[in-house]
């Protein structure tokens, strides 16, 4: 398959109430292949009116969807899961064309995304309440769980399938219908998921996809009292805006926001293992994930050895190119703004005294390609210390001792993911407990897993996705107090 139009899953439309629709205005959004700069398709640019219709459809679908048994909802989620895996290659191709990640990595994301549907199919059947000792002999106390209602979701371009199923799997499993605004750069992964949801038997109105004007769609979602939950993955800046808007109707809120992940290498670490973990934690999706390492904190006694090994691994293992080409494992960044941000971080660091060991400039391929870059002796006054790069820049900061490492690691407004390598068990416990983050990788650089609670603290957001906690985000607790005659 070469072009998007050849795909049986290609749907250049919005999906509302079980119908494929255009924008009322007829407006379209051009979708660009970040590897070539070519337009690969167009998607309707919806606004407030269409979003309000999607909310009405979701509200109308809610009673029948919540009335299904958990097993009935789980079976539909599992059918959706199976269809995703049956169409894994086609879904991966669509993702590589619109997001740029290498085909193998895109296929990996499809499997990761499908795992959330399976996980929440299983979790749906394990939503339970409790009975409590009553205060009076003729009293009985029960605690029950009920679906919150219509959910509004806004998702990012960097994981265009997994960030949808991580929300929709939990919402639908809990009995909630959902209205999703995908990122404008990656709408076709979302509409392909809608098509598969339709084939899986998700009833009309339960799953809606409204690509388009972000601020208008967000306004419609947050201004509707029928929308009882807002779930967002993206920048902290937009998360703050949504938090303020959601306060109008006290909507439940889940925010998965920015990160500034430290990757600490202690002198007692297995350096080869640390470099292997560093490659995974830094260069996944060309560094465009919120849990990618942003700062390598390396003990001074091993910093030169670590940098030599990391430079060797980067040189031998990383191949930059169009993600559709075999063997490529570093695709393009999403757009020219992303390239400019990485360049700015590199030049700022070098101007302030960092040592450039590898790369440092946009790739000779031009366009949105950036050469994987390694700098040493980075320091706190550099932009890379406080701002998320979201690109293939490995910045190494020295530290003297454990206290210094933890202080540097926690010196940020963010608190999503952190990583560290040590073989000292007492140190592992001390550092794991001292780090102010929602997720900590210990002797590993890969922590993403549907069965674990994914999320952060401080400016990295609120709530958790995945795990049993992810289901709770879409449930309300109701306390029943019963007096017997
Ligand atoms: N914690 C996490 O899990 C993740 C965090 N991020 C963070 O997000 C940033 C990069 O991702 P990026 O997608 O550019 O982030 P953005 O926040 O710009 O976009 C994310 C989504 O929000 C939408 N959006 C943009 N402006 C508004 C608005 N005013 N109101 C409502 N929705 C809006 C976008 O729509 P449109 O595309 O139409 O502009 C997109 O669908 C980085 O900081 C990264 O760390 C990214 C992914 C995951
Ligand atoms: O591992 C993940 O789930 C990704 O990091 C998702 S995101 O938060 O970066 O979008």
């Amino acid at each position: 398959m070469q072009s998007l139009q050849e795909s049986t899953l290609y749907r250049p439309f919005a999906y509302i109430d079980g119908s494929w629709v255009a924008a009322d205005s007829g407006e379209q959004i051009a979708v660009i292949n970040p590897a070539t700069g070519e337009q690969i398709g167009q998607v309707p640019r919806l606004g407030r009116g269409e979003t309000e219709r999607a909310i009405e459809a979701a509200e109308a679908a809610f009673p029948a969807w919540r009335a299904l048994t958990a097993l009935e909802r789980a079976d539909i989620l599992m059918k959706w899961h199976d269809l995703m895996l049956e169409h894994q290659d086609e879904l991966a191709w669509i993702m590589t064309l619109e997001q740029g990640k290498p085909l193998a990595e895109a296929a990996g994301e499809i499997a990761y995304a499908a795992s959330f549907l399976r996980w929440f199919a299983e979790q749906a059947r394990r939503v339970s309440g409790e009975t409590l000792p009553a205060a009076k002999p003729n009293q009985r106390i029960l605690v029950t769980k009920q679906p919150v209602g219509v959910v509004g979701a806004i998702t990012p371009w960097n994981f265009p399938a997994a960030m949808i199923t991580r929300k929709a799997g939990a919402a639908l499993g809990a009995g909630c219908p959902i209205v999703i605004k995908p990122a404008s750069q990656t709408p076709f992964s979302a509409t392909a998921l809608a098509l598969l949801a339709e084939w899986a038997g998700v009833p009309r109105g339960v799953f809606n996809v409204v690509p388009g004007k972000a601020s208008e769609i967000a306004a419609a979602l947050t201004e509707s009292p029928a929308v009882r939950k807002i779930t967002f993955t993206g920048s902290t800046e937009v998360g703050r805006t949504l938090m303020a808007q959601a306060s109008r109707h006290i909507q439940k809120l889940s925010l998965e926001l920015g990160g500034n992940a430290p990757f600490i290498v202690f002198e007692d670490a297995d350096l080869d293992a640390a470099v292997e973990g560093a490659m995974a934690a830094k260069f996944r999706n060309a560094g465009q994930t919120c849990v990618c390492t942003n700062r390598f904190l390396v003990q001074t006694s091993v910093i030169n050895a670590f940098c030599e090994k990391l430079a060797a691994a980067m040189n031998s293992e990383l191949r930059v190119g169009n993600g559709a080409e075999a063997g490529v494992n570093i695709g393009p960044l999403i757009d020219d703004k992303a390239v400019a941000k990485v360049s700015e971080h590199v030049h700022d660091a070098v101007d302030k005294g960092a040592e450039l060991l590898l790369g440092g400039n946009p790739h000779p391929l031009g366009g949105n390609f950036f050469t994987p870059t390694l700098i040493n002796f980075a320091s706190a006054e550099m932009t890379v210390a406080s701002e998320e790069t979201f690109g293939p820049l490995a910045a190494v900061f020295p530290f003297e001792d454990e206290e210094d490492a933890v202080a540097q690691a926690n010196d940020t407004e963010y608190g999503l993911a952190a990583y560290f390598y040590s073989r000292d068990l007492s140190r592992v416990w001390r550092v794991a407990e001292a780090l102010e983050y929602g997720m900590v990788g210990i002797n590993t650089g890969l922590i993403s897993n549907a069965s674990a609670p994914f999320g952060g603290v401080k400016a990295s957001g609120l709530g958790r996705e995945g795990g049993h906690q992810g289901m709770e985000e879409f449930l309300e607790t109701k306390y029943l107090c019963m007096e017997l005659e």
Side-chain angles (χ1 to χ4, degrees), residues 47 76 90 100 147 171 174-175 178 190 214 236-237 239 276 300 341 389 392 397:
I76 292 171
E90 215 169 333
I178 192 167
T236 294
E237 178 194 356
E276 185 180 348
T300 46
K341 184 176 183 183
T389 305
F397 297 69

Side-chain angles (χ1 to χ4, degrees), residues 322-389:
N322 186 322
E325 291 167 16
V328 166
N329 55 16
I330 297 288
L333 300 186
I334 191 67
D335 56 26
D336 54 358
K337 283 189 300 180
V339 173
K341 184 176 183 183
V342 181
S343 290
E344 197 273 326
H345 281 198
V346 172
H347 297 148
D348 171 79
V350 171
D351 290 349
K352 291 174 183 172
E355 181 189 7
L356 180 62
L357 298 180
L358 210 57
N361 293 297
H363 194 272
L365 285 172
N368 296 327
F369 296 98
F370 200 92
T371 304
T373 295
L374 174 62
I375 59 175
N376 192 5
F377 302 114
S379 52
E381 68 274 10
M382 298 171 187
T383 305
V384 67
S386 56
E387 189 179 286
E388 188 174 37
T389 305

Side-chain angles (χ1 to χ4, degrees), residues 23-376:
D24 293 349
S25 66
E27 287 180 271
Q28 300 260 41
I29 301 171
V31 183
I32 306 300
N33 179 337
T36 64
E38 292 164 349
Q39 179 172 314
I40 56 174
Q42 290 184 314
V43 75
R45 187 167 183 256
L46 276 62
R48 178 184 285 274
E50 301 97 322
T51 305
E52 288 167 350
R53 291 201 296 275
I55 295 166
E56 286 163 14
E59 199 175 8
F62 182 34
W65 181 247
R66 72 181 294 180
L68 292 183
T69 64
L71 179 57
E72 288 168 326
R73 292 197 297 272
D75 284 345
I76 292 171
L77 287 175
M78 280 308 296
K79 177 64 179 163
W80 194 8
H81 161 274
D82 297 346
L83 286 167
M84 282 193 72
L85 296 184
E86 282 170 35
H87 294 82
Q88 185 175 14
D89 292 343
E90 215 169 333
L91 289 168
W93 178 253
I94 290 170
M95 187 182 296
T96 296
L97 285 178
E98 65 178 3
Q99 198 273 333
K101 66 178 68 174
L103 214 43
E105 198 168 336
E109 183 186 333
I110 298 304
Y112 178 49
S115 75
F116 285 106
L117 298 181
R118 177 174 180 174
W119 173 258
F120 286 116
E122 295 161 354
Q123 287 300 306
R125 300 181 64 199
R126 287 162 181 78
V127 173
S128 60
E130 56 189 323
T131 59
L132 297 171
K136 303 174 190 173
N138 64 334
Q139 208 175 56
R140 294 296 180 270
I141 291 178
L142 300 93
V143 178
T144 63
K145 302 282 183 168
Q146 294 184 308
V148 293
V150 174
V151 175
I154 299 175
T155 55
W157 50 262
N158 64 338
F159 283 81
M163 291 310 96
I164 288 179
T165 57
R166 186 152 86 178
K167 297 167 174 27
L172 271 60
C176 303
I178 192 167
V179 176
I180 296 176
K181 190 213 91 59
S184 295
Q185 288 139 319
T186 55
F188 297 124
S189 294
T191 56
L193 285 175
L195 182 62
L196 295 181
E198 188 178 62
W199 292 353
V202 174
R204 53 183 288 192
V206 172
F207 184 83
N208 303 276
V209 176
V210 289
K213 292 171 259 188
S215 49
E216 264 194 48
I217 292 168
L221 291 172
T222 54
E223 289 170 14
S224 169
V227 176
R228 297 310 313 136
K229 166 84 180 183
I230 296 291
T231 173
F232 171 71
T233 295
S235 63
T236 294
E237 178 194 356
V238 172
R240 286 195 176 100
T241 302
L242 287 170
M243 190 168 185
Q245 290 174 305
S247 65
R248 178 182 181 142
H249 294 297
I250 316 295
Q251 293 164 321
K252 278 174 77 94
L253 201 55
S254 294
L255 299 173
E256 297 293 347
L257 307 177
N260 182 4
F263 187 108
I264 308 170
V265 182
F266 288 100
E267 58 191 2
D268 64 272
D270 174 335
L271 282 192
D272 292 325
V275 167
E276 185 180 348
M279 293 294 285
K282 178 64 254 184
F283 296 108
R284 182 169 168 241
N285 202 11
Q288 299 174 115
T289 95
C290 60
V291 292
C292 277
T293 296
N294 208 60
R295 300 167 289 156
F296 286 97
L297 310 178
V298 183
Q299 200 148 14
T300 46
S301 54
V302 296
I303 197 167
N304 289 331
F306 176 79
C307 287
E308 279 169 33
K309 289 175 180 286
L310 183 56
M314 288 170 67
N315 265 325
S316 61
E317 296 174 24
L318 300 182
R319 185 164 159 238
V320 177
N322 186 322
E325 291 167 16
V328 166
N329 55 16
I330 297 288
L333 300 186
I334 191 67
D335 56 26
D336 54 358
K337 283 189 300 180
V339 173
K341 184 176 183 183
V342 181
S343 290
E344 197 273 326
H345 281 198
V346 172
H347 297 148
D348 171 79
V350 171
D351 290 349
K352 291 174 183 172
E355 181 189 7
L356 180 62
L357 298 180
L358 210 57
N361 293 297
H363 194 272
L365 285 172
N368 296 327
F369 296 98
F370 200 92
T371 304
T373 295
L374 174 62
I375 59 175
N376 192 5

